Amino acid sequence: MGCVSTECRNEATRLVIIGGGPGGYEAAIGAAQLGANVTIVERAGMGGSAVLTDVVPSKTLIATADVVRRAKHSSSFGVKIEGLDDAETDFAVVNHRLLDLAKEQSADIRNGLERAGVRILIGEGRLLDAHTVEVTGTDGSIQKLDADAVLLATGAHPRELPTAKPDGERIFNWTQIYNMNDVPEHLIVIGSGVTGAEFASAYNLLGAKVTLVSSRDRVLPGEDADAAGVLEDVFKRNGLNVVSQARAEAVTRQGDKVLVTLADGRVLEGSHCLVAVGSIPNTKGLGLEEAGVQLTDSGHIRVDGVSRTTANNVYAAGDCTGVFNLASVSAMQGRIAVAHLLGDSVKPINLDLVSSNIFTSPEIATVGVSQRAVAEGKYQANIVKVDLATNARAKMMNMEEGFVKIVSRKGSGTVIGGVVVAPRASELIYSLALAVQNNLHVDDVAETFTVYPSLAGSLAEAARRLHRHM
């Protein structure tokens, strides 16, 4: 009797993936497990910018800042650390550690790919047509790969202002910020989105004077307003200066100083500047037009719910698609792409189920439908917000701010969204993500046992309060 398994069916499928970030390497492993012949092309190292220059190093830096935060507040727990006032952050050690961790994670990913039987090529890949990929190696050699299907997972790079060119010494983008050997005397951060807010929070805790320039009326303009308000209060209490409704026109360097000129004529003076004003998809030089791959007006690769582009058997995943610039979404897009290509069970991506986290102090985690969407009339919902000030575990941890918020559909009582503002909110949001993913009723959350004392207890409390709104 002939072989009818998925592996046998897909063993001749040649998949070439351009880009070794989360969208690329997760897809590669998934496709290899389904029996495909997989080649992945990456120009820098496995894990892409997410591992080498973005997520892993930045969150490692933030973890260091959190150690400083806990040390500074140790006296409130009755713990006295001699010489704490003289404590300094050794940035050479900090940066060496975070870059080493990035390399280690990259090596782990490469080992996992090799164990799965994935062929790895280091170089630049581009499409000659929808079934041929040209790879230029680091030594200048060129080879052509025939493909039954191609996945584009090329990521994005920092957007730069023409009047604020990074030099890697005093003016940085988010890939260069780890070049500093000392805590900056005064760091000016341009951009109050997720990247700007995270770095501003971290460097403020590490002892730098920080000024955050926001073109909007508050930080994190795209996030939950209550959460952004908490973060602004924390910034103010920690001495972090937010210059709101101000647009940076230019950044210039004068010796060991940087001057940031604002649109209204004001000039901010600092020692260093981080420009965090978004990203640009890596789509140039990929041969997209030749292959029939269309772009959106923003320059991202156009994809549908199962990661297909406008070219037959060409898929795309990750930041180059502009769906959500999150490693978790990139990975999901990649897994969905190979499942669709290879005939495995697949569901189109549902962005209402995405959970995300902002690694400021405190962290801000969200999932599903936002309060803004409810206010705009897109959903009929009840919303309950419970401050953590009365939570016993929060008191033990000396937490001075934070809350949990649950959004439930009016009528049915199912959980459709949530927000957590707290230390390790990234861990707490998972329970709400499960509720949203599985259409759980608020009573399901309310009646689930929680540990006492725990921050999660406030999630159950919010769900109990929503029961009264039904």
Side-chain angles (χ1 to χ4, degrees), residues 281-295:
N282 296 327
T283 54
K284 288 186 177 180
L286 283 178
L288 301 183
E289 185 176 352
E290 294 89 332
V293 177
Q294 294 181 3
L295 301 179

Side-chain angles (χ1 to χ4, degrees), residues 171-456:
I171 305 172
F172 305 101
N173 61 36
W174 41 258
T175 70
Q176 304 166 327
I177 193 70
Y178 315 110
N179 292 351
M180 289 187 288
N181 291 321
D182 299 295
V183 176
E185 179 184 344
H186 182 187
L187 177 66
I188 301 175
V189 179
I190 300 174
S192 59
V194 173
T195 300
E198 286 186 344
F199 278 112
S201 176
Y203 278 98
N204 174 241
L205 291 175
L206 288 167
K209 178 181 179 182
V210 178
T211 297
L212 180 63
V213 179
S214 172
S215 62
R216 308 288 284 275
D217 59 350
R218 63 175 173 86
V219 300
L220 301 175
E223 302 299 324
D224 182 85
D226 291 330
V230 169
L231 188 61
E232 284 197 330
D233 290 343
V234 172
F235 281 175
K236 186 179 297 183
R237 187 165 66 247
N238 291 346
L240 193 157
N241 180 35
V242 178
V243 181
S244 58
Q245 294 183 314
R247 189 174 297 276
E249 288 285 319
V251 182
T252 56
R253 178 176 173 180
Q254 290 187 358
D256 59 356
K257 297 180 181 178
V258 293
L259 301 178
V260 178
T261 303
L262 305 181
D264 61 9
R266 285 180 293 170
V267 177
L268 306 177
E269 182 180 303
S271 62
H272 299 78
C273 179
L274 169 65
V275 181
V277 289
S279 61
I280 296 174
N282 296 327
T283 54
K284 288 186 177 180
L286 283 178
L288 301 183
E289 185 176 352
E290 294 89 332
V293 177
Q294 294 181 3
L295 301 179
T296 65
D297 292 340
S298 61
H300 294 88
I301 298 173
R302 190 184 301 278
V303 292
D304 63 11
V306 291
S307 305
R308 290 178 298 189
T309 70
T310 53
N312 287 335
N313 284 340
V314 178
Y315 295 76
D319 293 0
C320 63
T321 69
V323 173
F324 269 171
N325 285 8
L326 295 171
S328 58
V329 173
S330 300
M332 183 66 75
Q333 285 181 291
R335 290 192 294 266
I336 287 174
V338 299
H340 183 269
L341 168 67
L342 299 175
D344 200 17
S345 59
V346 63
K347 292 181 181 179
I349 193 166
N350 184 348
L351 299 181
D352 284 340
L353 304 180
V354 173
S355 56
S356 62
N357 192 72
I358 302 170
F359 291 85
T360 47
S361 183
E363 293 181 5
I364 299 171
T366 58
V367 65
V369 173
S370 67
Q371 185 166 351
R372 175 185 294 179
V374 175
E376 292 173 349
K378 297 177 181 177
Y379 298 86
Q380 297 296 313
N382 295 312
I383 303 171
V384 161
K385 172 174 166 283
V386 175
D387 290 329
L388 293 176
T390 58
N391 181 288
R393 185 66 186 277
K395 291 178 180 178
M396 296 170 193
M397 297 168 64
N398 198 35
M399 287 174 50
E400 298 179 354
E401 63 281 315
F403 64 83
V404 300
K405 180 186 292 185
I406 298 179
V407 182
S408 67
R409 192 180 298 277
K410 190 170 291 186
S412 69
T414 55
V415 179
I416 59 175
V419 182
V420 179
V421 179
R424 303 293 188 272
S426 50
E427 310 295 342
L428 289 169
I429 199 65
Y430 185 64
S431 56
L432 289 183
L434 281 172
V436 172
Q437 172 82 30
N438 294 285
N439 296 311
L440 296 187
H441 194 279
V442 291
D443 288 351
D444 294 324
V445 178
E447 295 167 4
T448 298
F449 281 100
T450 58
V451 172
Y452 182 85
S454 68
L455 298 182

Side-chain angles (χ1 to χ4, degrees), residues 63-129:
T64 303
D66 190 55
V67 171
V68 174
R69 176 188 65 81
R70 284 181 285 168
K72 286 182 176 179
H73 289 85
S74 62
S75 61
S76 62
F77 293 89
V79 178
K80 185 177 181 181
I81 302 176
E82 294 292 341
L84 180 60
D85 292 338
D86 300 322
E88 295 181 357
T89 303
D90 189 333
F91 250 59
V93 174
V94 170
N95 287 337
H96 186 269
R97 176 175 180 267
L98 63 87
L99 292 175
D100 275 355
L101 282 173
K103 292 176 183 176
E104 180 181 327
Q105 182 67 13
S106 179
D108 287 345
I109 293 169
R110 184 183 184 108
N111 291 337
L113 288 166
E114 290 175 342
R115 285 195 302 271
V118 176
R119 180 189 182 197
I120 299 171
L121 297 178
I122 301 299
E124 298 270 355
R126 67 183 302 271
L127 293 169
L128 297 181
D129 55 49

